[in-house]
Each structure stands twice: as C-alpha cells, then as structure tokens.
Amino acid sequence: SFSVSSLLLYHRYSYRFCYADSGTDTVTNTVTKTTLFSATIPGGTLGTSNAVKFKAYIDNVDMIANNGDITFELAYGGANTSFAIPSPTATQTNITGWVEGMVVADGATDAQEMSLWLTFNGAGAILSTSSATTNELFAIGSVSGTGTEDSTGDLALALKVTWGTASATNTIT
C-alpha cells in the first residue's frame, strides 16, 4: 500500500512555500503508471538559475516478497527521471518515508537538471541504492537526469509511481 499524506512544493533555493496538498492517494493491484501528484509550474518560474523542490510524505508501503519492483518517476513537462526499488526477498509492511524531487534551471530556460531522492524506514526492510541489498532497516536512493523543456510556458511537475507486478498486497499509501 502506498499513500501520499501530504505534499509540499517549494520555489527557488530560498524554499519559498508555494503549494500544498494534504490529500491521500493509494496505488495497489495495478501496473499502470499512476500520478501521485501534479502541480502546474507557471512559465518563467525557473528562469535560468532558479529551482523548484517538492517533498511527498509516504504513510505506508507494503511490498510482497519477490513480487515485482516499484518505480518512482519525477516528470517536468515531457522530461522525466525515475528510480526503481527492487522487490525485497522478504515481505515488508508498514514502511514509511518520503520522496523528494527538484528541478533546477541549468543556465537557460530550456535546460534543466532533475533529481529524485527516496528515503524509507520501518520495522522491516525495503531496499536500496542502485546496487540493491535487502533486509536493511533504513533505505535511501537517488537518481538525477536532465531536461530540455521550454520553461517560459506553464509546465506540469509530477510524481508518478508504477508497480512491476499487479498484486493486492503491493500497496503504497
């Protein structure tokens, strides 16, 4: 089970608060890419040297053993970067944590750097860094990518999730 209990979106490195969503989303028993949140970033926000950052709090992740991975994706306009957490070797339940993402203008209005960080902890183990190890009490992972979106117009910033296997016991809330 996976749910996003709250979302905070900040503008620039000064972290000026500009968006909040306290709704809850649950993604379970599907392999369809699901948008957990999406916010419109007004044109001109990034400029040539600004940034937008978000943090989504995760209430609960349940992953059944050896039953497919879970992929988190940061999308800005048509650009994206993603991070997959492999299936654990033992079933894991009641995992909590957060996902952070940032899009930074890279010196031009059509050049961006994107980063996605995942932090989970709980009684069991969810794994991972890019070289996965299982049965850790704390897991952290990150990935970065680039974009070439024209940020002078409004663009959507979104966090998406995809399960590798449809299962009623693979849930994120």
Side-chain angles (χ1 to χ4, degrees):
S1 156
F2 171 89
S3 68
V4 176
S5 61
S6 59
L7 168 77
L8 303 175
L9 180 65
Y10 297 93
H11 172 240
R12 301 180 188 234
Y13 288 117
S14 64
Y15 299 112
R16 181 172 53 93
F17 178 76
C18 62
Y19 177 85
D21 179 1
S22 60
T24 299
D25 295 308
T26 299
V27 181
T28 190
N29 205 21
T30 183
V31 293
T32 302
K33 185 182 297 184
T34 304
T35 300
L36 296 176
F37 88 86
S38 180
T40 299
I41 306 302
T45 299
L46 286 182
T48 60
S49 61
N50 294 322
V52 175
K53 180 179 180 182
F54 73 85
K55 187 171 190 175
Y57 293 93
I58 309 303
D59 287 339
N60 186 60
V61 178
D62 296 334
M63 289 181 80
I64 191 132
N66 306 308
N67 196 27
D69 60 2
I70 185 171
T71 301
F72 291 88
E73 177 183 303
L74 166 62
Y76 177 67
N80 64 63
T81 190
S82 61
F83 187 86
I85 299 174
S87 178
T89 56
T91 297
Q92 305 301 319
T93 59
N94 302 313
I95 305 296
T96 61
W98 60 88
V99 179
E100 294 180 84
M102 184 162 46
V103 178
V104 181
D106 191 18
T109 58
D110 64 349
Q112 299 88 32
E113 295 286 333
M114 302 187 310
S115 297
L116 184 64
W117 302 274
L118 291 82
T119 305
F120 292 100
N121 56 48
I126 202 169
L127 32 113
S128 177
T129 56
S130 47
S131 60
T133 15
T134 58
N135 299 323
E136 299 172 355
L137 293 178
F138 181 78
I140 202 164
S142 66
V143 66
S144 61
T146 59
T148 56
E149 299 298 302
D150 179 1
S151 66
T152 61
D154 294 357
L155 290 171
L157 176 71
L159 175 63
K160 301 176 181 184
V161 66
T162 308
W163 282 107
T165 303
S167 171
T169 53
N170 281 347
T171 306
I172 196 161
T173 304

